[in-house]
Amino acid sequence: MPWETPRKTYSVDLGTYNTLLVCAKTGDVLLNEPSVVAVKSTAYTGEKKVCAVGTAAKRMVGRTPVGMDVKRPLQHGVIADFQVTEEMLKYFLQQVMPTQFPARWFRPEVVICVPYGATQVERRAIKESAIGAGAGNVYLVDEPMAAAIGANLPVESASGSMVVDIGGGTSEIAIISLNGIVYAQSVRIGGDKFDEMIISYVRKKFACLIGEITAEKIKRTIGTAFPVDDIKELQVSGRSMTECVPCSFVINSTHVLEALQEPLAGIIDAIRAALEQAPPELSADIEERGLMLTGGGALLRDIDRLIAEETGLPVMLADDPLTCVARGGAKIIDMLHEYGTDILTTE
Ligand code: ADP
Ligand code: MG
């Protein structure tokens, strides 16, 4: 009997901010690392070499010497740098693959969650990157569908479900019914935009320059999307704009709320546009059942409350919103193995 390697199937959420790998059979999150790569270019030849990936590379953001660059190969949900993406994916796959098999014998099956708006060319490129990174069979699934399934929405039923995935680079809004996407829209507003707005707010209000890591820390610790009673404060250090020396200031939740007004309004507008575009029957379903929030941006304090107030709909926050897409992808490939499903595309 020929010796066979066991089939391994992974679901990959190749996010702008984070990459997650989930084992399809068990649903366990095997890897969750920032989608960040540190690239060094040699002074003489200009040749580029990847020197750190994921968490190790993220630690270098804003602290790199000349000749080294920390890149996020995915921007706004699409691959901005294919070569670096492939290297990153290769590194991540190697982290989870069983070590006893040489990579050339062992090509895992991979399902990759791609943004709904990705073009055919981009989809093919993502697939090629995965194959280049060591994958065997590659399937693609639309991210909003994976998010909805990861959040346990009844996508197969004839009533409409609405999912809003707020990621790093984009927010994707989708209405799903009968295992298909009825409406989907992606806006280039997400957690990164929130961080950017905090940076520019701090520059104007406190005449101080802060980096993106600090801005994100402010957002996570004291940020809010809705006026709150218990206002939190945080002492922050940066570089003074007037004197070019280090400076320090105290920022509070109300400041952050003010800074985030514009991107939050953008997300609300996109949700309203989706509701207007929905066929009337589905619109009635959504009015009754509400919408589901997924993605890391959904963790911004009270963003569910803001959306509920502004749209008048019931808003639910998915369990573990950061892993929803990857877990959904794993469930979809499982369905394919068990009884076949047409949710996956190979194109
Ligand atoms: P992507 O799919 O683009 O990789 P994710 O769904 O992983 O994005 O979400 C990443 C975004 O979520 C980042 O902008 C990050 O700052 C934000 N985020 C993560 N945790 C929190 C939190 N507790 N509060 C606010 N934002 C958060
Ligand atoms: Mg995502």
Side-chain angles (χ1 to χ4, degrees):
M1 197 178 98
W3 186 70
E4 271 186 53
T5 53
R7 182 175 65 191
K8 279 271 175 196
T9 309
Y10 303 114
S11 160
V12 182
D13 171 10
L14 199 55
T16 317
Y17 180 84
N18 264 333
T19 297
L20 281 98
L21 262 95
V22 166
C23 175
K25 216 179 247 160
T26 61
D28 292 338
V29 178
L30 303 177
L31 178 137
N32 179 357
E33 294 213 30
S35 307
V36 180
V37 181
V39 184
K40 202 170 186 169
S41 25
T42 344
Y44 297 111
T45 58
E47 195 190 335
K48 290 199 165 74
K49 206 175 139 248
V50 170
C51 51
V53 182
T55 314
K58 180 138 192 207
R59 268 188 229 118
M60 302 176 183
V61 172
R63 300 191 159 92
T64 49
V66 177
M68 196 194 270
D69 225 357
V70 181
K71 290 188 177 191
R72 285 175 60 176
L74 293 118
Q75 309 263 326
H76 302 299
V78 298
I79 300 185
D81 187 328
F82 283 102
Q83 204 193 336
V84 175
T85 303
E86 193 174 312
E87 296 270 350
M88 183 177 83
L89 201 52
K90 193 184 280 177
Y91 175 86
F92 288 150
L93 281 173
Q94 275 163 3
Q95 300 297 300
V96 300
M97 286 210 269
T99 46
Q100 68 267 39
F101 302 114
R104 68 192 138 83
W105 292 356
F106 184 79
R107 297 180 76 81
E109 187 174 54
V110 170
V111 54
I112 302 186
C113 311
V114 291
Y116 182 72
T119 61
Q120 286 303 324
V121 176
E122 284 163 348
R123 283 165 194 258
R124 208 162 306 137
I126 291 175
K127 233 177 138 179
E128 274 162 21
S129 285
I131 290 167
N137 255 352
V138 182
Y139 297 97
L140 302 181
V141 59
D142 288 315
E143 243 168 43
M145 188 56 103
I149 291 177
N152 295 321
L153 289 177
V155 295
E156 69 294 333
S157 83
S159 65
S161 299
M162 185 170 188
V163 62
V164 177
D165 180 86
I166 307 173
T170 51
S171 293
E172 303 215 350
I173 296 143
I175 296 171
I176 294 167
S177 172
L178 296 169
N179 273 347
I181 293 177
V182 180
Y183 172 92
Q185 183 65 49
S186 169
V187 284
R188 289 190 168 197
I189 306 172
D192 291 343
K193 192 81 189 172
F194 295 167
D195 300 347
E196 258 172 52
M197 297 308 284
I198 293 174
I199 293 175
S200 71
Y201 181 87
V202 165
R203 201 168 48 211
K204 279 186 220 136
K205 176 109 185 162
F206 301 103
C208 193
L209 287 176
I210 55 167
E212 52 191 271
I213 302 276
T214 307
E216 195 193 349
K217 186 176 159 205
I218 295 173
K219 174 182 74 179
R220 285 180 186 230
T221 50
I222 62 165
T224 176
F226 200 79
V228 282
D229 292 333
D230 62 326
I231 294 170
K232 292 188 190 153
E233 290 186 339
L234 188 72
Q235 168 107 23
V236 182
S237 311
R239 200 185 76 207
S240 164
M241 286 176 65
T242 46
E243 294 151 36
C244 289
V245 287
C247 67
S248 164
F249 60 93
V250 175
I251 183 166
N252 66 33
S253 307
T254 314
H255 293 138
V256 184
L257 178 63
E258 214 177 305
L260 300 183
Q261 283 309 301
E262 196 187 304
L264 288 172
I267 293 176
I268 304 280
D269 283 349
I271 296 173
R272 286 212 184 103
L275 292 167
E276 278 164 20
Q277 302 279 328
E281 302 289 354
L282 295 183
S283 180
D285 296 340
I286 294 161
E287 206 141 296
E288 190 183 314
R289 306 220 322 253
L291 61 87
M292 178 69 80
L293 285 183
T294 67
L299 289 169
L300 178 70
R301 189 172 166 203
D302 279 345
I303 194 164
D304 47 344
R305 201 165 151 202
L306 174 81
I307 297 172
E309 291 276 334
E310 292 289 329
T311 59
L313 295 176
V315 177
M316 289 149 299
L317 184 61
D319 286 339
D320 202 0
L322 280 161
T323 63
C324 257
V325 168
R327 286 186 289 111
K331 280 190 194 167
I332 295 172
I333 192 96
D334 259 358
M335 291 195 273
L336 177 80
H337 289 154
E338 269 174 40
Y339 48 84
T341 172
D342 54 1
I343 293 177
L344 283 162
T345 57
T346 45
E347 264 309 298

